[in-house]
Amino acid sequence: MDFELPAELVEIQRTVRAFCEAEVRPHAAAWDASETFPREVVAKLGAMGLLGITVPERYGGAGMGALAVAVVVEEVARFDGSLALTVASHNGLGTGHIARFGTDAQKERYLPSLATGERLAAWALTEPGSGSDASAMRTTAVRRGDAWALSGSKTFITQGTVGGSFVVLARTDPGRRHHGITAFILEPGMSGFTQRPIHGKLGMRSSDTAQLFLDEVEVPDAQRLGEVDHGFIDTLQILDRGRITIGALAVGLGRGALEEARAYAKERQAFGKPIAEFQAIGFMLADMATELDAARLLVRRAAALCDAGEPFGTAASMAKLYASEAAMRATSRAIQIHGGYGYTRDFPVERHFRDAKLTEIGEGTSEVQRMVISREILR
């Protein structure tokens, strides 16, 4: 399959790169240090159409596919992993779930404002006691006439305090695991629904992350998203797509580290010459470039399969697994090339290293990806 980008995506890539050079690169370190969510820049991304990439045109989106999301997320991640995570999660999780499984009325109500970034989407699956084993969730939804009462808690929710639409998964049939979970759309301000920010993260520090608490939150049945007891099955499709974008995010972080390390190695002098001329440094750069190119190809293969309507779950897991681990190797080598300076916050590679770790955890850990891949191999 040919992975040369269409001209339209090449132009989008250039536009995003220029925007990030001007609007993101000068501020990313400060946002990270202060854990500040960059609302103004996120709003500009929305105005550029980058928060509605896959939303159908009839709802104000670009109507593009997984490959377009991957291209945009990689470009943003090269400069700021936190901002790239906002773009990835908004497009792929909350907005994606409504776009794929919402009713016509739900799409009309939510997608136009999600596509422009006027409203940000959050997606609430993970709980304090259920991460990789997501179907073990304890949040419940009990039907009461034409409404549901939701009770429980969620954690590590991206856009958790800045979101305007929350897709929340809850157990509707206690007797079943995978086939007893339903999705609902919640909004801030609902009685009994509160959010608490999570601070002090290792990386992705300017991405908004929160705990959600639900105390008998009354949700009309019209806000149920998808069929009753079918929410987890729908979620698996959302996660497969999300793994493509996390893979792209990892490639972007690794690429940023490579480009910073290459520039530093050509400038830094040791023993009378640039350290780039030492074979040990050159070989590290060569390994970084090779692995990141391979990761990008895996990500784009999975995205192309997704856009073509072909099975892509295993390809997405392979892409996410390899790209995330390649990003950790690349960012670690970038710090090594910078030496002591790489261990300080004076250079971006330290931030890239911290941000990259999340890509081995979010959207399914590396261990979960190996489970998915091995099951397919052994089938």
Side-chain angles (χ1 to χ4, degrees):
M1 187 174 290
D2 186 1
F3 292 107
E4 182 178 349
L5 292 177
E8 183 181 18
L9 289 185
V10 172
E11 184 58 34
I12 291 173
Q13 187 180 51
R14 289 172 180 161
T15 301
V16 174
R17 187 175 305 167
F19 175 84
C20 289
E21 286 278 9
E23 302 277 354
V24 178
R25 184 170 191 160
H27 309 293
W31 296 334
D32 173 80
S34 62
E35 298 184 270
T36 299
F37 182 75
R39 294 176 182 270
E40 292 183 3
V41 169
V42 172
K44 290 179 180 179
L45 291 175
M48 294 169 64
L50 301 181
L51 298 182
I53 300 171
T54 62
V55 173
E57 293 182 21
R58 63 176 293 190
Y59 301 113
M64 303 180 79
L67 182 57
V69 177
V71 168
V72 170
V73 168
E74 179 185 332
E75 287 303 315
V76 177
R78 185 265 175 263
F79 301 96
D80 186 6
S82 294
L83 187 60
L85 183 60
T86 299
V87 175
S89 62
H90 173 84
N91 276 288
L93 299 179
T95 302
H97 203 136
I98 294 172
R100 286 186 61 78
F101 300 108
T103 63
D104 289 342
Q106 289 168 345
K107 292 176 184 179
E108 290 283 356
R109 178 174 179 178
Y110 292 105
L111 291 183
S113 58
L114 290 171
T116 62
E118 176 186 345
R119 185 198 302 258
L120 293 177
W123 193 71
L125 174 67
T126 301
E127 298 186 0
S130 63
S132 295
D133 186 11
S135 65
M137 68 178 62
R138 300 179 66 180
T139 296
T140 60
V142 179
R143 189 151 199 171
R144 294 177 180 170
D146 292 332
W148 299 79
L150 272 63
S151 296
S153 64
K154 300 289 182 177
T155 194
F156 302 129
I157 307 307
T158 307
Q159 280 89 254
T161 69
V162 300
S165 299
F166 292 77
V167 175
V168 178
L169 280 297
R171 183 165 299 286
T172 43
D173 186 342
R176 298 193 295 174
R177 283 173 60 89
H178 300 90
H179 294 276
I181 293 169
T182 305
F184 300 86
I185 306 174
L186 276 64
E187 298 180 7
M190 284 182 158
S191 178
F193 181 38
T194 57
Q195 304 90 39
R196 181 184 301 163
I198 295 174
H199 294 295
K201 296 176 294 180
L202 171 70
M204 303 292 187
R205 288 167 53 85
S206 62
S207 166
D208 181 70
T209 310
Q211 293 176 293
L212 308 182
F213 301 94
L214 303 104
D215 183 10
E216 293 285 304
V217 180
E218 184 175 305
V219 182
D221 189 58
Q223 295 295 95
R224 172 173 48 83
L225 181 56
E227 298 298 321
V228 175
D229 295 337
H230 208 267
F232 189 75
I233 306 305
D234 296 342
T235 289
L236 295 179
Q237 294 186 42
I238 299 300
L239 285 172
D240 282 344
R241 289 170 175 262
R243 286 164 184 164
I244 298 173
T245 57
I246 293 296
L249 197 161
V251 172
L253 286 168
R255 190 184 109 209
L258 169 61
E259 292 174 2
E260 295 289 343
R262 179 182 60 191
Y264 183 84
K266 293 170 72 174
E267 177 184 320
R268 176 70 172 178
Q269 297 276 327
F271 304 103
K273 61 182 179 180
I275 64 172
E277 295 183 17
F278 290 95
Q279 188 180 69
I281 302 299
F283 279 12
M284 278 196 280
L285 293 170
D287 287 343
M288 293 162 71
T290 301
E291 292 186 8
L292 292 171
D293 269 11
R296 183 181 294 106
L297 288 170
L298 284 170
V299 168
R300 291 185 179 176
R301 178 188 69 160
L305 289 170
C306 176
D307 289 344
E310 300 288 339
F312 68 94
T314 303
S317 286
M318 288 180 172
K320 194 268 188 187
L321 171 64
Y322 187 81
S324 62
E325 297 190 350
M328 282 304 301
R329 289 190 291 269
T331 54
S332 179
R333 286 168 177 150
I335 290 177
Q336 191 71 17
I337 290 170
H338 279 71
Y341 289 111
Y343 204 64
T344 72
R345 294 193 175 183
D346 294 334
F347 289 82
V349 292
E350 179 267 351
R351 175 166 47 86
H352 289 326
F353 177 79
R354 289 186 287 106
D355 287 350
K357 186 58 192 176
L358 180 70
T359 66
E360 292 186 314
I361 299 171
E363 310 289 74
T365 63
S366 293
E367 291 71 31
V368 167
Q369 306 315 316
R370 288 184 166 90
M371 287 169 56
V372 171
I373 296 164
S374 64
R375 284 172 182 167
E376 181 63 26
I377 292 170
L378 296 170
R379 180 174 298 176

